[in-house]
């Protein structure tokens, strides 16, 4: 069994933290994993993508082949669409619905339409949820919670253990906020 | 005891080196190599063992410092991105002539597709040029194992060893099974043979004869390297595959082994000629799959007999530029990529941009304001975050070539009569390669205006220490810039009138001026704030 995910977003939105948590959970669940990311120039408000491959057998390529991703998990709606060529036929798009407008002429209506016509798409306004629940820095964990029901190769408990482990050095309060964010996203789907 | 760690390719190299008894790592930050040194800097074990890991001023100083450590009998490692090899080249090539004492491993991280670089040069050519052994891992596990192997090989052959990575391995994570090594660093007696270390022509000729004489031996040991092996059925196949590095991963991803293609994996160079000859003789066609330039492919053309057709990048079976991926390699193996959803047409690119609040922004706003009244002005910029000044809304720079080229190109242009010739360079790039060019300009009294945009860090690569912090005025004065023309400003919107006035005055001055806009990088500032919270 394998599970390929494309994580997408804009530099600074915290997609690499999501990647770190899923990767950590996968290793602890005894799975093979490859997680490719690009550092450097793209961090400065540019498009950021990380390919995450989980499997119970050997994984050779660090990069996903086209049409192979079971999920596109995105912190930003237009960024979710950018990687559609990687989505498998029955793959899910799980995305924040809040546009990140740092470019002129952001095609907001077109993005909405292009998302709506996909067969399996879950849009969730994680930014508003995070703000309303006083957890402005945990929008990414709400998104991970929303994705957790679909990442069948890992249990939500695996992911929560990793949240506790990864955020552990930042203190108990931050761990609790992020776990709460995760549960909130999980309950939304 | 074996343990499993989740590691980037870069981190696997770092841990491999630590477990091999490393005494020091020397490096200048550069994507995608930076995390090797950072891993060692963060390692408590490395710190307890007193392993050297502070940043060097540039790749050449790093290379020479590592060579000195090797001379003294310890294992040392140098890490850089591919273009850093150009800076280190003098020391690198001549380290092959002197040979080494303690194991010396040079890690070059190539960036096919130029994710964060200005070219696609393939460091393997440097290894061949210097005639030294080279290793190229495919997986994070191999990156870990090869690093330890590389130190042993270096000490056994008494030569530096080049370890070549590409972005996709350097910046991809996987579980790696590791075996903590000796508790102490390796220490041999210091070298003392001047006939190999003093490269006077008389000595160098002997060293050159020696280095040339071991080439066949080095190729033979590559044939028997644990990192050179064949999978799949060798006999009776009409197409065989020779693959290295990340290219091998894509071959395997496409099920080459299961579909009956024999695959010769190359992990060590100089190329195992004997092994390649035998392999090629059993196939009508050989497809060469390698990330980077057609380095193996060109050599296989010479090694394989005329009865074998060599396919790859030179024959159009694989793309000539850009990194390989599972789809491009699949295509070369006769598999069409599957795509269910097209990228919608309305998606627009989202290029990187200078951060909100970044001091470089104010520098470019001020420069654009002043230079609007000088239509002939040219701005020669350099390598760093501030290269993004080329993009809208600033469109403020006219060139960016290599580390330090801003000052020297401005000088050359001024020599040709171009005015105003402005150089924009970051603080870390200035100490890396800008200082010597500034001395040229001072000695010639060149009519240039140099802006050292100082954000107190090496920002582009993630905020590493910058070698010249707190020293820039002193450096410029010591190089001979007139004290009246070393000007410091604080790049903030509220200071715009002052900044533009300073720029105008210094452009009007006929000679070398240095303006230093100084304000901390927003990224390092916010990281510090988070830490103190």
């Amino acid at each position: 069994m394998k599970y390929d995910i494309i994580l997408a977003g804009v530099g600074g939105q915290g997609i690499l933290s999501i990647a770190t948590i899923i990767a950590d959970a996968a290793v602890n669940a005894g799975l093979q994993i490859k997680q490719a990311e690009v550092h450097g120039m793209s961090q400065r408000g540019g498009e950021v993508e990380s390919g995450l491959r989980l499997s119970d057998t050997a994984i050779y390529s660090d990069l996903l082949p086209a049409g192979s991703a079971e999920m596109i998990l995105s912190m930003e709606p237009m960024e979710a669409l950018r990687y559609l060529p990687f989505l498998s036929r029955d793959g899910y798009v799980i995305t924040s619905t809040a546009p990140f407008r740092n470019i002129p002429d952001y095609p907001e209506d077109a993005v909405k339409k292009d998302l709506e016509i996909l067969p399996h798409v879950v849009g969730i306004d994680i930014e508003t949820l995070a703000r309303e629940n006083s957890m402005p820095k945990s929008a990414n964990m709400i998104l991970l919670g929303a994705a957790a029901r679909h990442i069948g190769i890992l249990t939500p408990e695996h992911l929560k253990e990793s949240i506790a482990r990864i955020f552990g050095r930042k203190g108990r309060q931050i761990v609790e906020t992020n776990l709460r964010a995760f549960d909130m996203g999980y309950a939304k789907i | 005891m074996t343990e499993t760690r989740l590691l980037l390719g870069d981190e696997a190299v770092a841990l491999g080196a630590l477990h091999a008894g490393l005494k020091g790592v020397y490096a200048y930050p550069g994507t995608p190599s930076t995390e090797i040194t950072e891993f060692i800097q963060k390692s408590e074990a490395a710190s307890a063992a007193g392993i050297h890991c502070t940043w060097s001023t540039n790749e050449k100083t790093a290379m020479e410092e590592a060579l000195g450590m090797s001379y003294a009998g310890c294992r040392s490692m140098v890490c850089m991105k591919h273009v850093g090899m150009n800076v280190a080249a003098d020391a690198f090539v001549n380290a092959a002539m002197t040979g080494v004492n303690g194991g010396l491993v040079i890690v070059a991280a190539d960036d096919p597709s130029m994710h964060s670089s200005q070219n696609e040069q393939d460091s393997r050519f440097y290894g061949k040029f210097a005639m030294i052994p080279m290793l190229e891992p495919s997986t994070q596990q191999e990156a870990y194992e090869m690093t330890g192997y590389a130190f042993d090989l270096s000490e056994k052959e008494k030569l530096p060893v080049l370890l070549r990575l590409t972005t996709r391995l350097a910046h991809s994570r996987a579980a790696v099974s590791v075996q903590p090594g000796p508790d102490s660093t390796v220490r041999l007696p210091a070298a003392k043979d001047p006939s190999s270390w003093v490269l006077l022509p008389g000595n160098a000729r002997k060293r050159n004869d020696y280095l040339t004489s071991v080439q066949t031996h080095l190729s033979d040991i590559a044939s028997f390297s644990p990192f050179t092996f064949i999978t799949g059925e060798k006999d009776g196949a009409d197409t065989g595959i020779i693959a290295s590095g990340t290219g091998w991963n894509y071959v395997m991803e496409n099920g080459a082994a299961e579909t009956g293609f024999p695959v010769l994996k190359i992990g060590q160079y100089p190329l195992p000629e004997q092994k390649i000859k035998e392999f090629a003789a059993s196939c009508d066609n050989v497809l060469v799959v390698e990330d980077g330039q057609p380095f193996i492919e060109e050599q296989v053309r010479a090694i394989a007999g005329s009865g074998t057709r060599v396919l790859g990048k030179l024959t159009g079976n694989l793309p000539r530029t850009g990194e390989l991926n599972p789809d491009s390699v699949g295509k070369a193996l006769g598999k069409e990529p599957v795509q269910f959803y097209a990228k919608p047409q309305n998606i627009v690119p989202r290029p990187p941009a200078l951060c909100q609040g970044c001091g470089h922004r104010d520098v470019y706003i001020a420069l654009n304001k002043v230079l609007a009244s000088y239509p002939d002005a040219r701005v020669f910029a350099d390598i760093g975050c501030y290269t993004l000044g080329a993009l809208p809304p600033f469109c403020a720079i006219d060139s960016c070539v290599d580390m330090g080229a801003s000052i020297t190109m401005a000088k050359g242009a001024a020599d040709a009569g171009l005015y105003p010739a402005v150089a924009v360079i970051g603080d870390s790039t200035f100490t890396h390669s800008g200082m010597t060019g500034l001395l040229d300009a001072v000695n010639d009294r060149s009519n240039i205006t140099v802006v050292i945009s100082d954000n107190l860090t090496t920002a582009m690569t993630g905020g590493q220490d910058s070698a010249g912090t707190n020293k820039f005025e002193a450096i410029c004065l010591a190089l001979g810039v007139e004290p009246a023309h070393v000007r410091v400003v604080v790049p903030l919107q509220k200071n715009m009138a002052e900044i533009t006035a300073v720029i105008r005055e210094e452009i009007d001055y006929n000679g070398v001026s240095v303006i230093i806009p100084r304000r901390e990088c927003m990224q390092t500032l916010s990281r510090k704030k988070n830490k103190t919270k």
Side-chain angles (χ1 to χ4, degrees), chain A residues 120-167:
Chain A
H120 305 293
V121 60
V122 178
I124 170 165
D125 189 357
I126 53 170
E127 303 293 339
T128 306
L129 272 175
R131 221 175 18 248
E132 283 173 353
N133 290 281
S134 344
M135 44 174 76
K137 288 191 172 165
S138 302
N140 56 351
M141 289 303 114
I142 302 180
L143 189 74
L144 178 60
R149 227 177 264 274
H150 291 285
I151 310 177
I153 199 164
L154 287 172
T155 64
E157 286 67 39
H158 283 133
L159 292 165
K160 288 172 82 165
E161 277 168 30
S162 293
I163 290 175
R165 193 163 32 240
I166 303 282
F167 288 108

Side-chain angles (χ1 to χ4, degrees), chain A residues 16 20 26 46-47 58 68 71 76 93 98 103 107 116 167 176-177:
Chain A
L16 293 184
T20 307
E47 55 211 48
S68 74
M71 179 185 289
E76 208 279 345
V93 173
I103 41 169
E116 274 165 9
F167 288 108
E176 276 168 15
T177 308

Side-chain angles (χ1 to χ4, degrees), chain A residues 10 34-35 37 39 41 44 46-47 53 60-63 66 76 79 82 85 88-89 100 102 107 110 114 119, chain B residues 35 116 140 168 171-174 249-250 252-253 326-327 338 340-341 343-344 346-348 350 352-353 459:
Chain A
V10 179
K34 288 266 190 182
Q35 184 228 324
E37 58 198 41
H39 303 191
M41 206 167 229
R44 308 280 176 254
E47 55 211 48
R53 316 194 71 190
Y60 290 107
S61 171
D62 298 88
L63 292 174
E76 208 279 345
E79 295 310 319
R82 195 183 300 283
S88 63
R89 192 198 309 268
F100 191 98
N102 64 345
D114 287 332
Chain B
E35 292 79 2
S116 207
Q140 291 77 359
R168 286 306 169 186
H171 281 178
S172 177
R173 255 183 207 92
N249 298 344
Y250 307 136
M252 300 306 280
E253 175 78 22
D327 297 318
V338 204
F340 303 101
Y341 305 92
K343 184 165 125 186
N346 299 302
I347 304 301
V348 289
R350 196 190 298 265

Side-chain angles (χ1 to χ4, degrees), chain B residues 316-369:
Chain B
N317 295 67
L318 286 161
R320 186 76 170 77
T321 60
E323 64 182 345
L324 299 173
N325 61 50
D327 297 318
S328 62
V329 172
K331 230 172 168 174
L333 295 172
K335 277 170 74 174
E336 275 309 307
V338 204
Q339 191 185 309
F340 303 101
Y341 305 92
K343 184 165 125 186
Q345 286 175 341
N346 299 302
I347 304 301
V348 289
R350 196 190 298 265
L354 288 169
C355 304
Q356 290 306 317
C358 168
H360 297 315
R361 283 180 172 263
D362 300 300
V363 170
Y364 284 129
I365 291 168
L367 260 184
N368 279 347
K369 258 188 194 158

Side-chain angles (χ1 to χ4, degrees), chain B residues 459-519:
Chain B
M460 178 97 265
T461 44
Q464 294 75 24
D465 289 341
S466 173
T469 297
N470 297 327
K471 300 188 184 85
F472 291 100
E473 290 92 317
I475 291 170
C476 294
L477 293 174
L479 290 173
V481 183
E482 294 291 334
H485 298 285
V486 177
R487 314 281 299 266
V488 180
V489 296
V490 179
L492 282 168
Q493 192 53 41
K494 64 173 186 183
N495 299 338
M496 207 42 78
E498 181 207 343
I499 304 168
T500 50
V502 167
I503 296 174
R504 218 177 287 276
E505 283 164 30
E506 297 309 330
I507 283 176
D508 288 346
Y509 167 66
N510 187 351
V512 179
S513 324
V514 176
I515 303 169
I516 309 174
R518 177 175 296 136
R519 181 154 67 79

